[in-house]
């Protein structure tokens, strides 16, 4: 793992302005050119959503309503809403991975639904633990329905995830549930790390990557293999697909960390300098702090003062822009962009270990490319 | 379901004093006489505890420490403690149920551990949701380590429960995990009901029994069958054992509800009139309120006034004693004692549907008898 953010290579992204931050994908993935990623994402969403809604409908009142609010299917008053379902990368991966084994994409649907349920269980609990009041432009569940409902409905979605898989009653479903449990444990470990890092002045690049691997990598790993497992793939195939998904998750998170500072608010729907306002120790920040040059040291002093400042909430746009400029000057932006490309390359390479139809491989590549070029 | 608390029969328990409240077991279970229940409980504890501790040790810091505190293995300062492990009825049932199939009791151990993990996941979350500051004579986890750790470690124990079963990698383990998931969903449903009942003036006897079936019956049902499932029992055997455990759980809870009002504080370790101080709508209370006679109506008026009273916290011993006397006068105590015996009888009868060695049947009966005669 490279920890020197100056590392090698030129500062390709050093002069990019907001909204143009995300690294260009190297032209390695030519086969992916022919793939319609939008259609691929839409397929996952179309296959998974009805089954997800039917699963959530099983919850006893008022948990069904609270969950429907969380998913954006109804508003706080209970009226139907057309919620932002997110990018739907995970369901797309889950149904695609079923095709590795020659099975129909539908074979991956219970896996897609289980992964989405686990993801949303963690969002419900993390928002409460972190005191986050907004998600996807709406008040979070604990803010609207109270902390007890956020805990309870999170628990219910977690249980439902296992139910959706185990009720299939097959040996493959048991193996899928086993992998989902491993991913869930990693998610929880990642949240434990995230909480403990908040109370620390310094977090190393390695620690940040480990935390992001747990919080983002593990569940994308599971999403990328669970359909294949349900389709009867052997352990080594599932492991290789997990490797693809894990590194794709790290690439995804690196891009998220770039967008969290330099993303275009119009595209991300977040405030300018969003992660800086939340004092997040994201990859660009920890990489900049690890670099050790003059800008890095100055950044360290400023962030240490910020941590004690009682005026932080009233900081101006310019003050955050100055911090972002120091992170960039210390190489944090460039290092993170390169890290996204590096993780993307490892993900693509992991696919080589798996025998699969060319069409399916091209789709995995296209989804990986999408993850690193997205603007939101 | 009988809802008239006067029902039939004489008020056998109407004159019992505190500490003598629990119903005598009818002499139906003669074979149980020869069984050493203490040894049976100790066997479950001895087999399950080391595996439970090894599972909890897998948690990343600080979750391992928080969990160890919750289980009573260390104190709040991290020093080793000899915690009250509870009655250990669930592990005893889980290892006993393995013997139904002719398997060794050890076969049931992963099931015993998984059930204990789910039980403790629910305690961690319920204590936080309910704002309970004490459990087993100690400060609860959220009180000592904060709400975030209570949520996180609860989540981790829930995930670990599935892990302990699914890592066995057998078809039987998948079936066991399926049943555990069903029980977990019922537990969560029960907690949702418990929370919603708190905000209501009236709860019917049926609603109370349904909630107690979810909160206590479902997991005892799982404990009573999970060892058998791991030992390869067929579905109808597992279902019959679940029926035994479910009704045993309802008997258990009815006795708990009696002890929560009339239990001897020396034996229970709880305050006098514990459940009345917590305004719990337990079985004796809802049965007394449903009876409809003069004492029942007077009780209803008093409890309605209590709900609005700002002096409730300073009520004297005599004020709670007066409420307990009204509950008893309205038949709530007698009805609950009879309900415990009724559920005990259904549990014992459910065993008839299962072919098992006489020795094993005698032990199931002895455990059922213990549950209804216990004083703590």
């Amino acid at each position: 793992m490279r920890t020197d953010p100056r590392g090698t290579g030129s500062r390709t992204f050093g002069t990019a302005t907001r909204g143009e931050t995300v690294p260009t994908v190297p032209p390695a993935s030519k086969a992916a050119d022919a793939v319609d990623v939008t259609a691929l994402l839409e397929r996952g969403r179309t296959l998974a959503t009805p089954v997800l809604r039917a699963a959530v409908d099983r919850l006893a009142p008022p948990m069904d309503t609270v969950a429907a609010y969380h998913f954006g299917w109804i508003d706080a008053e209970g009226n139907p809403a057309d919620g932002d379902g997110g990018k739907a990368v995970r369901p797309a991966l889950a149904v695609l991975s079923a095709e590795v084994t020659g099975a129909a994409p539908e074979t991956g649907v219970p896996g897609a639904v289980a992964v989405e349920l686990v993801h949303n269980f963690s969002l419900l609990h993390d928002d409460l633990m972190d005191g986050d009041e907004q998600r996807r432009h709406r008040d979070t569940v604990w803010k609207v329905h109270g902390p007890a409902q956020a805990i309870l409905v999170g628990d219910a979605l977690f249980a439902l995830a296992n139910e959706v898989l185990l009720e299939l009653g097959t040996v493959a479903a048991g193996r899928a549930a086993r992998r989902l449990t491993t991913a869930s444990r990693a998610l929880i470990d990642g949240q434990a790390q995230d909480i403990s890092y908040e109370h620390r002045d310094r977090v190393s690049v390695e620690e940040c990557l480990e935390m992001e691997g747990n919080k983002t990598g593990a569940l994308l790993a599971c999403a990328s293999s669970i359909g294949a497992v349900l389709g009867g793939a052997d352990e080594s195939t599932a492991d290789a697909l997990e490797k693809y998904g894990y590194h794709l998750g790290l690439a995804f998170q690196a891009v998220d960390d770039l967008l969290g500072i330099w993303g275009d608010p119009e595209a991300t729907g977040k405030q300018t300098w969003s992660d800086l306002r939340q004092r997040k120790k994201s990859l660009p920040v920890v990489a900049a702090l690890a670099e050790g040059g003059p800008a890095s040291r100055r950044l360290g002093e400023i962030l240490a003062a910020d941590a004690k400042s009682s005026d932080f909430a009233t900081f101006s746009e310019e003050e955050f822009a100055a911090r972002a400029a120091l992170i960039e000057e210390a190489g944090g932006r460039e290092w993170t962009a390169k890290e996204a490309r590096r993780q993307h390359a490892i993900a693509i390479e992991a696919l080589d270990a798996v025998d699969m139809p060319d069409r399916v491989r091209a789709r995995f590549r296209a989804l990986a490319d999408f993850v690193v070029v997205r603007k939101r």
Side-chain angles (χ1 to χ4, degrees), chain A:
Chain A
M1 198 173 292
R2 296 168 309 145
T3 57
D4 171 14
R6 292 275 180 193
T8 55
S10 62
R11 297 182 57 199
T12 319
F13 301 98
T15 54
T17 55
R18 186 185 295 158
E20 298 171 352
T21 54
V22 185
T24 314
V25 178
S29 311
K30 274 194 190 125
D33 291 349
V35 177
D36 182 347
V37 172
T38 308
L40 208 51
L41 294 170
E42 189 54 33
R43 181 180 75 164
R45 207 194 316 262
T46 305
L47 287 173
T49 302
V51 182
L52 178 63
R53 293 188 77 140
V56 168
D57 273 348
R58 292 183 202 172
L59 298 180
M63 294 185 288
D64 53 350
T65 307
V66 175
Y69 171 78
H70 169 76
F71 282 104
W73 302 331
I74 58 173
D75 65 20
E77 286 73 42
N79 303 310
D82 188 18
D84 171 12
K87 290 172 282 291
V89 173
R90 283 175 302 268
L93 286 167
V95 300
L96 176 58
S97 81
E99 293 186 284
V100 169
T101 63
E106 285 76 6
T107 303
V109 168
V113 171
V115 164
E116 283 306 275
L117 287 167
V118 166
H119 175 59
N120 284 283
F121 134 72
S122 79
L123 295 182
L124 276 164
H125 283 190
D126 290 1
D127 284 343
L128 175 58
M129 288 185 247
D130 301 342
D132 288 340
E133 300 185 358
Q134 290 266 319
R135 167 165 307 275
R136 298 172 189 155
H137 317 279
R138 306 162 75 228
D139 284 344
T140 45
V141 163
W142 70 266
K143 190 85 180 141
V144 175
H145 294 281
Q149 290 299 326
I151 297 171
L152 199 59
V153 175
D155 293 344
L157 297 185
F158 194 12
L160 210 48
N162 281 301
E163 183 170 297
V164 163
L165 286 177
L166 292 169
E167 71 189 358
L168 297 173
T170 61
V171 173
R175 289 172 56 217
R178 171 80 185 95
R179 286 180 183 261
L180 184 67
T181 294
T182 303
S184 306
R185 290 255 284 118
L187 262 183
I188 295 163
D189 284 352
Q191 174 66 5
Q193 289 163 332
D194 206 2
I195 289 173
S196 80
Y197 294 173
E198 268 175 37
H199 304 291
R200 284 166 41 178
D201 289 340
R202 279 289 169 111
V203 174
S204 72
V205 172
E206 289 87 347
E207 287 171 325
C208 188
L209 285 172
E210 191 190 336
M211 185 262 282
E212 294 191 344
N214 280 329
K215 283 195 86 162
T216 309
L219 200 58
L220 270 175
C222 186
S224 303
S225 63
I226 199 165
V229 172
L230 291 172
D234 60 27
E235 293 295 297
S236 71
T237 298
D239 288 345
L241 290 171
E242 282 213 350
K243 186 176 180 188
Y244 159 87
Y246 183 81
H247 291 282
L248 182 62
L250 281 170
F252 184 99
Q253 192 56 50
V255 172
D256 235 41
D257 287 355
L258 289 169
L259 292 172
I261 299 178
W262 295 282
D264 177 2
E266 288 277 318
T268 63
K270 292 178 181 170
Q271 274 190 292
T272 54
W273 324 114
S274 166
D275 283 359
L276 298 181
R277 292 176 195 272
Q278 290 185 60
R279 310 188 215 220
K280 264 199 201 167
K281 297 187 183 78
S282 65
L283 269 186
V285 177
V286 298
L289 290 172
E291 188 257 357
S296 171
R297 291 197 300 275
R298 178 84 192 108
L299 179 69
E301 290 158 15
I302 289 176
L303 295 185
D306 286 357
K308 293 174 196 147
S309 168
S310 54
D311 300 331
F312 188 81
T314 64
F315 275 15
S316 69
E317 189 84 358
E318 286 67 33
E319 285 170 295
F320 290 115
R323 283 152 185 75
L326 278 173
I327 294 168
E328 192 162 345
E329 201 182 326
R333 186 177 186 172
E334 181 193 348
W335 187 88
T336 305
K338 274 164 71 179
E339 180 65 12
R341 287 196 301 272
R342 190 175 77 90
Q343 296 290 352
H344 173 272
I346 301 174
I348 298 292
E349 203 189 325
L351 295 174
D352 293 346
V354 184
D355 188 32
M356 66 177 95
D358 287 346
R359 179 183 47 87
V360 176
R361 192 181 307 274
R363 289 174 167 186
F364 272 116
R365 286 186 176 172
L367 281 172
D369 293 354
F370 163 76
V371 158
V372 289
V373 299
R374 72 200 162 88
K375 301 239 182 289
R376 69 171 197 114

